[in-house]
Amino acid sequence: MRVLITGGAGFIGSHLADAYIARGDEVFCIDDLSTGSIENIAHLKEHPRFHYAIDTVQNQPVTAELVDVCDVVFHLAAAVGVKLIVESPVRTIETNVHCTEVILALANKKKKKVLIASTSEVYGLSEQVPFREDGNLVMGATTKGRWSYACSKAIDEFLALAYWREKKLPTIVVRLFNTVGPRQTGQYGMVIPTFVKQALAGRPITVYGDGKQTRCFGYVGDVVGALVRLMAHTDATGQVFNIGSNEEITILEVAERVKELTRSASEVIFVPYDEAYEEGFEDMPRRVPDITKISQLVGFKPEMKLDGILEKVIEYYSGR
């Protein structure tokens, strides 16, 4: 099979490329390196079944050629990370919405199957925890820039599902919940690589807010396995799936666990949201997925526990 991965030099995209190459498939990726890194695919560059283009998905002639030669498309390219979203809202909205428009329109010409990566952010301020795919999405006010990302990804979802219903383009939407592992950068606010790098360097470990907010961290290997199985399953078409772990933990507990596993003398300090991001910043107090749907369809079960994930990230950054 020939697989196109947009954002293929990104954290998740590069692991997905590894998985398909290991299976014997041919992988094409496109990435403008705005949040991805050529380092992530350096080990694949000489592989005869791996091809890459350093370009934006918005360059339609290049993207059209890649879509044409491939059998399926994973659309992972997006503006990601709370820090980037708060600092560059225009780029976030335009990148997320327009790139998805381009991919769906090009894929539709020859009915190539497309998986669109969305986010747990779309659940917004919903209190219906654990979040179910058919639950309500509760967005914050438009005056809060933080919600522009959630809204842009919700539009991506609406568009992908509309292409399926109206034009019969086979599409799948996945909502990823805090995927973590080696190669993830802390540059745009990703919490685990940030904590690990701070701990290894002996710097203060910065917990935003009161640290009582909870998250569930899914290992990238588990997530990639789920993506591959969903793409291969005919019954996944036209549906939305949560992917992630349901092992809930507070951010403060994550910081303390990182400190313990790295044997770091770093102090854990608290930074107010207003200081970390912007005045009036709103966070999601809990972010827990209901993974019943994907478990029933493809047998997905998170295998890697949080300590195992942290050890892999610590090993990755220790080696750097």
Side-chain angles (χ1 to χ4, degrees):
M1 189 164 69
R2 289 181 150 196
V3 179
L4 171 60
I5 304 170
T6 74
F11 159 55
I12 298 173
S14 63
H15 283 281
L16 185 61
D18 286 340
Y20 274 106
I21 290 292
R23 280 185 8 148
D25 298 304
E26 193 165 4
V27 173
F28 295 75
C29 86
I30 181 168
D31 200 306
D32 66 0
L33 302 183
S34 56
T35 55
S37 168
I38 201 72
E39 274 186 59
N40 291 340
I41 55 170
H43 63 291
L44 291 173
K45 282 166 70 174
E46 302 304 319
H47 198 287
R49 284 185 281 106
F50 181 77
H51 319 274
Y52 68 99
I54 305 303
D55 211 330
T56 171
V57 170
Q58 297 180 58
N59 185 341
Q60 293 200 35
V62 172
T63 306
E65 187 176 340
L66 290 169
V67 170
D68 280 356
V69 301
C70 289
D71 303 302
V72 298
V73 181
F74 287 89
H75 181 44
L76 308 184
V80 292
V82 177
K83 194 167 187 290
L84 178 63
I85 292 151
V86 169
E87 291 175 357
S88 306
V90 173
R91 174 180 159 194
T92 296
I93 297 163
E94 290 182 344
T95 298
N96 291 348
V97 176
H98 186 52
C99 286
T100 301
E101 287 175 335
V102 168
I103 285 294
L104 291 169
L106 293 175
N108 188 54
K109 291 180 180 177
K110 296 184 180 175
K111 303 301 180 192
K112 301 293 176 76
K113 194 172 189 177
V114 183
L115 183 146
I116 301 283
S118 185
T119 171
S120 58
E121 285 271 334
V122 298
Y123 290 104
L125 296 169
S126 172
E127 294 177 354
Q128 297 175 321
V129 180
F131 298 136
R132 285 169 47 97
E133 293 88 347
D134 58 358
N136 291 333
L137 310 184
V138 184
M139 296 293 169
T142 56
T143 51
K144 309 277 187 184
R146 181 251 204 284
W147 301 115
S148 62
Y149 175 61
C151 199
S152 69
K153 296 306 286 185
I155 291 169
D156 287 353
E157 293 192 21
F158 278 121
L159 195 57
L161 297 171
Y163 262 90
W164 164 240
R165 293 191 190 104
E166 184 182 330
K167 302 178 184 292
K168 293 296 172 249
L169 173 69
T171 59
I172 304 167
V173 173
V174 297
R175 294 174 181 161
L176 303 178
F177 279 72
N178 293 86
T179 306
V180 289
R183 300 182 201 159
Q184 186 178 40
T185 173
Q187 188 177 354
Y188 300 105
M190 281 53 171
V191 66
I192 283 182
T194 299
F195 284 178
V196 167
K197 286 194 284 186
Q198 288 171 337
L200 289 172
R203 299 197 308 271
I205 299 172
T206 50
V207 171
Y208 295 165
D210 61 9
K212 292 178 183 174
Q213 66 273 34
T214 68
R215 298 293 182 263
C216 297
F217 295 96
Y219 181 58
V220 66
D222 291 339
V223 171
V224 161
L227 295 177
V228 171
R229 293 201 292 277
L230 279 176
M231 183 60 90
H233 205 300
T234 52
D235 292 344
T237 302
Q239 296 202 59
V240 179
F241 297 90
N242 291 332
I243 305 181
S245 164
N246 46 13
E247 183 186 359
E248 188 176 12
I249 186 170
T250 70
I251 296 299
L252 177 57
E253 287 171 330
V254 174
E256 290 168 343
R257 199 75 196 100
V258 167
K259 180 176 175 176
E260 189 179 335
L261 289 170
T262 54
R263 297 180 177 84
S264 174
S266 293
E267 179 188 4
V268 176
I269 63 171
F270 296 91
V271 179
Y273 282 125
D274 288 5
E275 190 180 314
Y277 294 122
E278 62 183 355
E279 192 175 341
F281 179 85
E282 294 176 328
D283 200 7
M284 297 170 70
R286 294 178 70 196
R287 200 183 298 198
V288 185
D290 183 325
I291 53 175
T292 306
K293 187 176 177 184
I294 190 170
S295 299
Q296 290 176 343
L297 186 71
V298 298
F300 172 72
K301 182 184 170 194
E303 299 290 342
M304 182 77 73
K305 297 295 183 186
L306 182 61
D307 273 7
I309 296 171
L310 293 177
E311 283 166 2
K312 284 193 173 289
V313 176
I314 290 164
E315 181 186 359
Y316 175 72
Y317 278 109
S318 296
R320 295 164 70 83

